[in-house]
Amino acid sequence: MSRLGLFCSVAALALAMPALADPITPKAGSLPSPAEAFPTEPGSDYYLANYDAYEKYLKTLAAQSDRMKLIDIGKSAEGRTMWTAVVSSPANLAKLDRYQEIARRLAKAEGVSEAEAKTLAAEGRAIVWIDAGLHATETVTTQSQIHVLYRMLTGEDAETKRILDETIVLFGHDNPDGLQLVADWYMRNKDPKDREFRTIPRLYQKYVGHDNNRDSFMSQMPETTAVNRVLFREWYPQIIFNQHQTGPAGMVVFVPPFRDPFNYNYNPIVMTELQEVGASMHSRLVSEQKGGSGMRSAAPYSTWHNGMVRSVAYFHNSIGLLTEIIGGPTPEKIPLIPDYQLARNDEPLPIAPQEWHLKDSLEYQNSLDRAVMDYAARNRERLLMNIWRMGDQAIARGKRDSWTITPNDVEAAKDAAKGKTAEGGEVYFRGPPPIDSGLYKSVLNDPAKRDPRGYVLPPMQRDMPTTIAFLNALLKTGVDVEQASAPFTAGGKRYPAGSYVVKTAQAYRPHVLDMFEPQDHPHDLEYPGGPPKAPYDITGYTLAYQMGVQFDRILDGFDGAFTRVTADQLAPPPGRVLGSGTAGYVVGHETNNSFILTNRLLKAGVPVSWLNETTKAGGVTFAPGALWIPATPQAAAIIAQSAPLGVDAYRVSRAPAGAKTALKPVRVGLVDRYGGVMPAGWTRWLLEQYEFPFEVVYPQTLDAGNLKANYDVLLFADGTVPVERGGAYPGGYRNSMPKPADIPADYRAWLGEVSKDKSVPAIDAFAKAGGTVITVGSANALASMLSPAVQPALVTKKPDGTVTALDHKQFYIPGSILAAKVDPTKPLAYGMAPKVDLFFDESQSFVPTAGLTPVVTYDSATPLRSGWAVGQEKLNGTVAVASVDLGQGKLFAMGPEVTQRAQPYASFKLLFNGILYGPASTSAQ
């Protein structure tokens, strides 16, 4: 199946979708209600309105209401317009530019005194973002927004008018493509009882599906970029309400506050305000006798990870809200869970078991939205002042010595206190004993461990285009970035003009620290002496580490001839053609963008080789792996046209001596499964960005055999190979397949799983005939089936001889960054530095064995760089990434997630080199 087949038009899914009726013309002075404007009222059983219908209704409302303005915030991955409805009083809508400017000045805080802030807060309006549709199968949010909008535009009650007068509410839609796909799929069956969306054939965001809510600090997807622009560069809302489902079993909805831990970088005001809003939401539900709301322990949500829509808000001094509600177009039942019938702090009003309908959820969602808007209206000036206070405090902290105390610091203080007697008053409550207060300054405020005043990124980077991509991620989230126009000194070091500077004396200081500094997640246990308590999502993600950016932490104040970057996006310095030789070109392997150039040359039939030995050209020494491109007019044209990639080419007078690996165009098969696997989707996006040709392959194609006739490389991303529960390889994705008769015929060829009895023999034959197999993450279960040399290291042997992954009390690394040693003389690691930071999420490592060639290894008992690790010493001496010969072919086993969410640019080369090297090495035999 080609990738074009994977992305069939959503229209093709609407096999029996009822035609959308034109909105009924309302009576004079009235707006069409949802019941009038749609063929069936949204919120009815067995009906979902799609994005086409939603968009049409938005345009109707905007054309006829003086309380609403419709703005286009960008295009989705499939090209749909992302609309945001701006709702407020007519008087406020007439002054939107002024209120946006007030919100910007207060949020950024720069140059705004307290007196001026009070004046601006008195004049300004609270801005609230309430979204829908981020996760498209969570259908309550989109259908409820239709009703909430109509009620806000037609309501004449005192509360509605107060909200309109005191606030500006942005009703956004995060995922138009997903709503269209899911609604059309649900409505395809004429019999309502046959309608479902559990079996949608692909991810509901073209590339990343559910992970569109893990992209917020990176902004890789167009939808994320558009939303971040609204939140942190244009409107600066004080409240960001990100709506989800489904709620906890036996309840209706999870509403903040959240469980610990919270991240140590952001201002605590945002947490106390979050609790205020959460209390208002719960109180509204309880007062309306809407039971079944839970908080804190009712769900696993914390506020640690920066990558989500509601959590990135905290690092920008905004209140981030998340609700998770039950419901959907197909009625369901609230089950009886006896423990949840006992009222408690975290569930103040239990709900009886009952049948539940989508319209019930819509009424709850309306109450929650109204509670948030009413809180903002009643606390308008305080919200505006507090976002200024947080920004002002961040700027002040960035200009003086300050410390962020983390769990490691606390443990250091405890260790320093051992054997010492504390002086202090009487202890009235049970709790940890006091220690010597002098340790506060010497340990917790150790001058050597103070927070940086800023970061300097010199222009001489190993991979400048990737450094630019990192800076662009900061810019997309509203961070202030500067560039030096003249040399300057900072931290006793001289830096050249062109260096980039990111100071911490800015309103979004929490986000800056979170992107540069390691995360130090607490050692969180289910109970004292018990197993680790799983975090919500991951624990370590420092972006500068993942992207391999070279930077210096500057602890003391510094300044220079710095100019604020005003462009939306930076571009890397254009690639240059240097030297005057006529034999050909030498290009370094250090930049990821060199793969784009390579793929363009190979596509055009231009010869390209890797130089297997160190080479000198133009006074520059090139490490093994540099590209050799013989001079031809076509090569010269492609290199010139590729200057925007930022890759330099050195013209030389004769071909470099020594061994070369001749590359060839490759045919890549990217394995996926019905419904879509998110890591495969992220990998698909990466392959497109770096211009690798590929096709999506499903298990039935694998099982049919004769794979070498169509593919040179088979790529198995994390989650594409079923793993045995309790086996050696944790993780993976286990979604059941639909019956062929339950889905359209066009998608039946996508069904199936990679199996030991059918798929593995075909893949083995492919490799032994000269094919390359690449396995990543949990897909290394396949690697162990293909070769006895691939033996998992982090296992316990059971009495029957089989192995199981280590118990979490022995070893647990839930999404963290680890340091590893690289052998850059190996083709799989060409272009890499001798050390790399790898993303590791309950991954496996390998035993050094005969037949297994280590490429990346863990060479320390303390490899943790950012996040949380239990038993990290067990990694020491094991292999992270390895190469294995399989007949005439190659197996590249990559234990950690080297392409995790398209964030670890520093480890992309392992995958990209593998794609090119395997076929090149086998063709040379």
Side-chain angles (χ1 to χ4, degrees):
M1 176 65 65
S2 71
R3 55 178 168 166
L4 292 177
L6 178 63
F7 300 127
C8 62
S9 69
V10 173
L13 300 178
L15 303 180
M17 181 69 183
L20 174 65
D22 288 333
I24 295 175
T25 302
K27 298 177 183 179
S30 66
L31 295 177
S33 69
E36 295 172 309
F38 295 82
T40 302
E41 182 175 8
S44 300
D45 289 346
Y46 304 108
Y47 174 75
L48 282 180
N50 66 13
Y51 191 76
D52 286 345
Y54 170 85
E55 180 180 44
K56 200 168 190 177
Y57 190 52
L58 284 180
K59 291 180 177 178
T60 298
L61 295 178
Q64 298 178 21
S65 175
D66 62 357
R67 297 181 179 182
M68 174 177 156
K69 179 180 179 180
L70 201 57
I71 58 173
D72 173 356
I73 67 169
K75 298 295 183 184
S76 69
E78 294 178 20
R80 291 181 175 84
T81 299
M82 298 178 65
W83 295 107
T84 292
V86 183
V87 174
S88 194
S89 69
N92 289 343
L93 292 178
K95 298 171 60 179
L96 281 182
D97 289 347
R98 173 59 180 164
Y99 292 132
Q100 277 186 266
E101 175 61 13
I102 290 172
R104 183 194 68 79
R105 294 197 64 199
L106 290 172
K108 299 295 282 186
E110 187 177 28
V112 178
S113 67
E114 183 169 6
E116 187 177 7
K118 289 179 179 178
T119 300
L120 291 171
E123 180 187 355
R125 296 294 180 266
I127 299 179
V128 179
W129 166 272
I130 301 179
D131 63 17
L134 184 66
H135 292 157
T137 52
E138 300 172 6
T139 54
V140 171
T141 66
T142 56
Q143 307 303 295
S144 67
Q145 192 177 78
I146 292 166
H147 287 272
V148 173
L149 272 171
Y150 176 73
R151 294 178 188 185
M152 287 300 300
L153 299 183
T154 59
E156 296 295 335
D157 58 285
E159 181 182 70
T160 298
K161 290 183 177 180
R162 179 172 60 250
I163 292 170
L164 293 170
D165 287 341
E166 302 293 336
T167 72
I168 298 167
V169 185
L170 310 176
F171 289 96
H173 198 290
D174 299 320
N175 186 8
D177 303 338
L179 173 56
Q180 191 75 18
L181 170 66
V182 169
D184 286 356
W185 188 262
Y186 182 82
M187 297 297 293
R188 77 190 190 282
N189 291 322
K190 291 183 179 180
D191 186 345
K193 298 296 178 68
D194 290 337
R195 292 176 182 167
E196 51 77 33
F197 46 74
R198 296 184 305 278
T199 63
I200 57 171
R202 62 174 178 86
L203 298 171
Y204 53 65
Q205 194 280 349
K206 180 177 179 179
Y207 296 105
V208 302
H210 197 88
D211 265 0
N212 63 357
N213 198 29
R214 301 297 185 272
D215 187 40
S216 285
F217 66 71
M218 195 71 185
S219 300
Q220 303 269 40
M221 296 298 110
E223 297 91 345
T224 317
T225 299
V227 170
N228 279 345
R229 185 187 309 113
V230 171
L231 300 182
F232 309 124
R233 299 177 65 186
E234 292 180 353
W235 286 89
Y236 307 94
Q238 297 86 49
I239 298 177
I240 295 170
F241 187 3
N242 182 222
Q243 303 181 129
H244 289 267
Q245 68 184 94
T246 188
M251 301 183 194
V252 175
V253 62
F254 174 87
V255 179
F258 304 95
R259 73 171 176 95
D260 283 332
F262 67 61
N263 194 292
Y264 306 112
N265 285 322
Y266 46 69
N267 193 304
I269 294 176
V270 82
M271 283 291 100
T272 56
E273 285 188 328
L274 186 153
Q275 293 178 50
E276 290 177 20
V277 185
S280 296
M281 297 163 79
H282 283 284
S283 293
R284 178 124 185 176
L285 293 177
V286 172
S287 69
E288 295 174 357
Q289 286 297 289
K290 291 175 177 161
S293 66
M295 65 190 91
R296 283 183 290 260
S297 64
Y301 311 113
S302 68
T303 58
W304 181 265
H305 181 227
N306 194 334
M308 294 166 278
V309 173
R310 57 97 183 178
S311 62
V312 73
Y314 312 136
F315 299 88
H316 292 76
N317 304 322
S318 294
I319 303 167
L321 302 173
L322 165 84
T323 53
E324 297 271 355
I325 196 167
I326 66 170
T330 301
E332 60 186 83
K333 293 185 182 296
I334 297 178
L336 174 61
I337 300 178
D339 288 349
Y340 292 172
Q341 292 300 310
L342 188 63
R344 58 195 177 105
N345 276 328
D346 286 359
E347 190 195 6
L349 181 61
I351 190 169
Q354 58 190 274
E355 185 170 85
W356 196 259
H357 299 266
L358 180 55
K359 62 181 173 63
D360 300 320
S361 295
L362 265 55
E363 289 306 315
Y364 270 64
Q365 197 68 65
N366 180 70
S367 295
L368 293 166
D369 289 0
R370 300 281 293 198
V372 172
M373 292 186 286
D374 184 56
Y375 174 90
R378 293 177 182 274
N379 294 274
R380 173 180 62 84
E381 287 192 45
R382 193 160 67 88
L383 283 170
L384 291 166
M385 275 302 296
N386 275 346
I387 202 169
W388 171 83
R389 289 187 195 284
M390 287 184 275
D392 184 65
Q393 290 170 11
I395 292 170
R397 290 195 72 189
K399 291 180 177 179
R400 66 172 187 262
D401 286 346
S402 60
W403 288 262
T404 300
I405 297 174
T406 71
N408 280 337
D409 299 324
V410 171
E411 291 305 312
K414 291 178 180 178
D415 289 342
K418 289 177 180 177
K420 297 181 180 179
T421 303
E423 297 180 2
E426 185 177 354
V427 178
Y428 292 94
F429 299 100
R430 289 180 297 172
I435 65 173
D436 179 7
S437 60
L439 294 175
Y440 183 86
K441 285 190 175 182
S442 63
V443 178
L444 299 182
N445 278 2
D446 180 351
K449 294 183 178 180
R450 62 194 188 276
D451 294 333
R453 302 286 184 92
Y455 305 89
V456 178
L457 293 73
M460 296 304 293
Q461 300 275 326
R462 283 185 57 84
D463 185 350
M464 192 61 188
T466 287
T467 299
I468 293 298
F470 168 75
L471 292 169
N472 283 337
L474 298 182
L475 291 169
K476 287 179 182 181
T477 52
V479 169
D480 294 328
V481 176
E482 298 174 298
Q483 188 173 23
S485 58
F488 67 97
T489 299
K493 183 176 177 180
R494 191 73 171 164
Y495 294 95
S499 297
Y500 286 97
V501 174
V502 183
K503 289 191 174 183
T504 57
Q506 57 177 294
Y508 295 163
R509 177 180 183 272
H511 189 77
V512 172
L513 293 176
D514 211 46
M515 294 297 96
F516 280 97
E517 299 292 309
Q519 284 80 44
D520 181 9
H521 193 279
H523 188 59
D524 198 9
L525 302 179
E526 292 284 358
Y527 50 85
K533 187 173 184 178
Y536 188 64
D537 206 70
I538 62 178
T539 63
Y541 47 86
T542 309
L543 189 56
Y545 292 1
Q546 291 197 73
M547 296 186 77
V549 173
Q550 284 84 58
F551 65 92
D552 290 329
R553 303 169 73 251
I554 310 301
L555 298 184
D556 297 313
F558 67 103
D559 216 334
F562 303 150
T563 302
R564 183 77 52 86
V565 173
T566 57
D568 282 349
Q569 296 286 277
L570 292 165
R576 302 165 296 173
V577 178
L578 304 168
S580 58
T582 58
Y585 306 84
V586 176
V587 175
H589 204 101
E590 287 75 19
T591 65
N592 286 338
N593 279 2
S594 69
F595 290 97
I596 301 177
L597 176 61
T598 299
N599 286 326
R600 291 177 181 177
L601 293 165
L602 292 174
K603 183 179 180 181
V606 176
V608 185
S609 299
W610 287 343
L611 302 175
N612 298 343
E613 300 171 8
T614 301
T615 304
K616 289 188 176 181
V620 177
T621 300
F622 293 88
L627 278 63
W628 165 243
I629 307 157
T632 65
Q634 196 172 22
I638 292 172
I639 290 171
Q641 293 164 4
S642 299
L645 298 177
V647 179
D648 291 338
Y650 291 78
R651 296 173 61 176
V652 294
S653 57
R654 60 178 180 271
K660 302 177 181 66
T661 299
L663 304 181
K664 68 175 188 177
V666 291
R667 301 167 299 167
V668 179
L670 173 62
V671 177
D672 208 335
R673 69 193 299 281
Y674 186 91
V677 175
M678 287 181 288
W682 280 112
T683 304
R684 177 163 27 95
W685 182 81
L686 270 182
L687 295 178
E688 289 183 9
Q689 304 311 300
Y690 288 91
E691 301 184 16
F692 282 92
F694 70 95
E695 289 186 355
V696 175
V697 178
Y698 291 91
Q700 290 182 44
T701 300
L702 298 176
D703 294 350
N706 194 29
L707 297 168
K708 192 67 179 67
N710 297 305
Y711 307 105
D712 301 302
V713 178
L714 289 176
L715 172 53
F716 295 83
D718 180 51
T720 55
V721 176
V723 294
E724 179 185 354
R725 290 186 183 276
Y729 292 92
Y733 297 80
R734 306 178 183 90
N735 297 321
S736 59
M737 290 284 163
K739 296 177 182 178
D742 292 341
I743 62 173
D746 288 349
Y747 303 103
R748 291 172 189 167
W750 299 8
L751 297 173
E753 299 277 14
V754 175
S755 63
K756 188 173 184 179
D757 57 340
K758 290 185 178 181
S759 308
V760 173
I763 298 165
D764 183 63
F766 163 78
K768 288 177 177 175
T772 297
V773 178
I774 302 176
T775 51
V776 180
S778 66
N780 282 295
L782 172 63
S784 288
M785 292 184 229
L786 292 172
S787 172
V790 182
Q791 298 180 16
L794 307 170
V795 294
T796 299
K797 196 168 186 178
K798 295 190 287 189
D800 63 0
T802 62
V803 294
T804 184
L806 291 174
D807 180 86
H808 282 179
K809 291 180 72 172
Q810 297 176 279
F811 183 85
Y812 187 55
I813 303 181
S816 299
I817 300 175
L818 307 180
K821 180 183 177 182
V822 179
D823 183 352
T825 66
K826 297 287 194 300
L828 203 60
Y830 277 168
M832 296 183 69
K835 297 288 287 187
V836 67
D837 289 325
L838 297 174
F839 183 84
F840 187 105
D841 187 10
E842 294 197 69
S843 312
Q844 257 299 350
S845 190
F846 309 116
V847 178
T849 60
L852 183 137
T853 302
V855 178
V856 182
T857 56
Y858 301 107
D859 63 339
S860 166
T862 55
L864 180 67
R865 287 269 282 155
S866 179
W868 181 27
V870 175
Q872 59 176 310
E873 69 281 355
K874 292 178 173 59
L875 286 166
N876 195 14
T878 67
V879 179
V881 177
S883 172
V884 179
D885 290 332
L886 289 179
Q888 298 179 50
K890 295 283 187 184
L891 167 63
F892 299 135
M894 304 182 185
E897 291 76 7
V898 296
T899 58
Q900 186 266 157
R901 293 171 179 164
Q903 294 170 10
Y905 278 57
S907 58
F908 287 173
K909 290 185 184 71
L910 293 165
L911 175 66
F912 296 163
N913 284 334
I915 290 172
L916 293 171
Y917 172 60
S921 65
T922 56
S923 65
Q925 293 178 356

